[in-house]
Amino acid sequence: MGFHTFVAVGDSCAEGLDDPYPDHSQYRGWADYVAGRLARDETGFRYANLAVRGRRLDQITAEQLPTAERHEPDLIALFGGGNDVMSRGWDARTVARRVDTAIRRCTQIAPTVVTFTLSDIAHRMPLGGRMRPRVTALNDAIREASVSYGAKLVDLWPDQAAHDSRYFGPDRLHLSQAGHLRVAGHVLDRLGVAHDGSWLQPLPGAPAPGSAIADLRWLWQEVLPVGITRLRNRIIGRSPGDGFLPKRPELLPVAFSEAQV
């Protein structure tokens, strides 16, 4: 069965960071690649992307799912939870309830729902191991809710790509183009849709080895500016993502250029 309408909801990973279009007009990402592939099989196929960077699961449910429901899609993909993991005041039970609510609502909106676990960040950033219990708790909640409500789970936790820095952007958190293509391949596999097999092939060669200098550069160039911005936003009462809008709020046909790598 083909899909006629597809809506992506979530945070920066669903929006497409760190995979800009060649003209840098906006980010592309795995959802655009999936939409481009699905559009090849269905005349009149339409796609919307409601994701906004910085959004937690409760914000995704409140801000994005009402619009998704209005679109009446055949397919919804929900990628979220990373901002919940990094939020102050983390509480596993609260986040589990957010996961359950978001996935349940998605399955009430569309007959086919795709969900995702997060990959293991401990291998690619210093002190990442401190966040592993939170990611594990989030992933457990996503797996449980996906089974309960019949969503199709893309389990990224065991994917060995998490150990290859080339699948991630400079901040070691958001996916690079290679990472987004790989996630798109996983999604299409889960949907039973044929795709370019190279998207799931290991990258040639070996990644550059890590070093203390690279870690210090990452902390100075990527982590410190984000920390300062988050502190400033907390002081003035802003949430991450405030002021940003979805890149594709309406269901629109997929242009040929959007389907190309």
Side-chain angles (χ1 to χ4, degrees):
M1 181 181 69
F3 298 100
H4 302 280
T5 49
F6 168 39
V7 174
V9 296
D11 55 23
S12 54
C13 287
E15 183 183 345
L17 277 69
D18 245 339
D19 178 23
Y21 275 96
D23 63 1
H24 293 271
S25 58
Q26 62 181 11
Y27 289 101
R28 179 161 43 185
W30 61 264
D32 286 24
Y33 295 127
V34 169
R37 174 61 189 88
L38 296 178
R40 288 167 47 191
D41 294 339
E42 293 294 332
T43 302
F45 175 86
R46 294 178 299 156
Y47 159 56
N49 191 316
L50 309 178
V52 175
R53 66 195 72 177
R55 289 342 228 172
R56 301 184 310 269
L57 284 161
D58 56 331
Q59 295 170 315
I60 293 166
T61 297
E63 299 168 5
Q64 299 175 27
L65 294 190
T67 303
E69 184 172 25
R70 176 170 59 82
H71 290 327
E72 299 182 343
D74 302 321
L75 170 66
I76 286 182
L78 165 65
F79 198 124
N83 294 297
D84 299 80
V85 166
M86 294 185 290
S87 295
R88 294 178 66 208
W90 157 269
D91 178 73
R93 288 176 296 182
T94 297
V95 173
R97 287 194 293 269
R98 293 175 183 173
V99 167
D100 188 88
T101 299
I103 294 178
R104 174 176 54 81
R105 286 284 292 115
C106 284
T107 57
Q108 291 170 343
I109 293 169
T112 302
V113 175
V114 177
T115 59
F116 305 80
T117 59
L118 302 187
S119 63
D120 188 358
I121 64 174
H123 300 283
R124 59 180 184 269
M125 55 183 64
L127 305 178
R130 296 178 61 182
M131 300 298 291
R132 179 181 279 171
R134 294 188 178 190
V135 177
T136 299
L138 172 72
N139 285 347
D140 287 345
I142 291 170
R143 292 188 185 100
E144 181 176 348
S146 297
V147 171
S148 295
Y149 298 113
K152 295 181 180 294
L153 176 67
V154 175
D155 194 351
L156 297 176
W157 178 263
D159 193 335
Q160 291 301 304
H163 303 278
D164 190 331
S165 60
R166 295 173 294 176
Y167 285 107
F168 300 90
D171 64 4
R172 305 184 184 181
L173 184 63
H174 294 102
L175 297 167
S176 65
Q177 182 187 57
H180 279 287
L181 285 170
R182 189 172 182 86
V183 171
H186 283 307
V187 172
L188 293 168
D189 267 0
R190 195 70 182 85
L191 294 174
V193 177
H195 59 87
D196 186 338
S198 68
W199 292 3
L200 290 176
Q201 290 297 314
L203 296 175
S211 69
I213 292 177
D215 289 343
L216 288 172
R217 185 181 300 114
W218 169 74
L219 287 168
W220 178 258
Q221 296 178 351
E222 303 294 337
V223 177
L224 183 60
V226 172
I228 292 173
T229 299
R230 284 180 176 268
L231 177 60
R232 184 185 302 118
N233 287 342
R234 193 176 304 132
I235 292 172
I236 64 177
R238 286 173 57 91
S239 297
D242 285 357
F244 289 94
L245 298 174
K247 68 178 184 180
R248 194 183 180 101
E250 300 299 330
L251 284 170
L252 297 172
V254 176
F256 178 77
S257 60
E258 293 175 288
Q260 305 303 302
V261 177

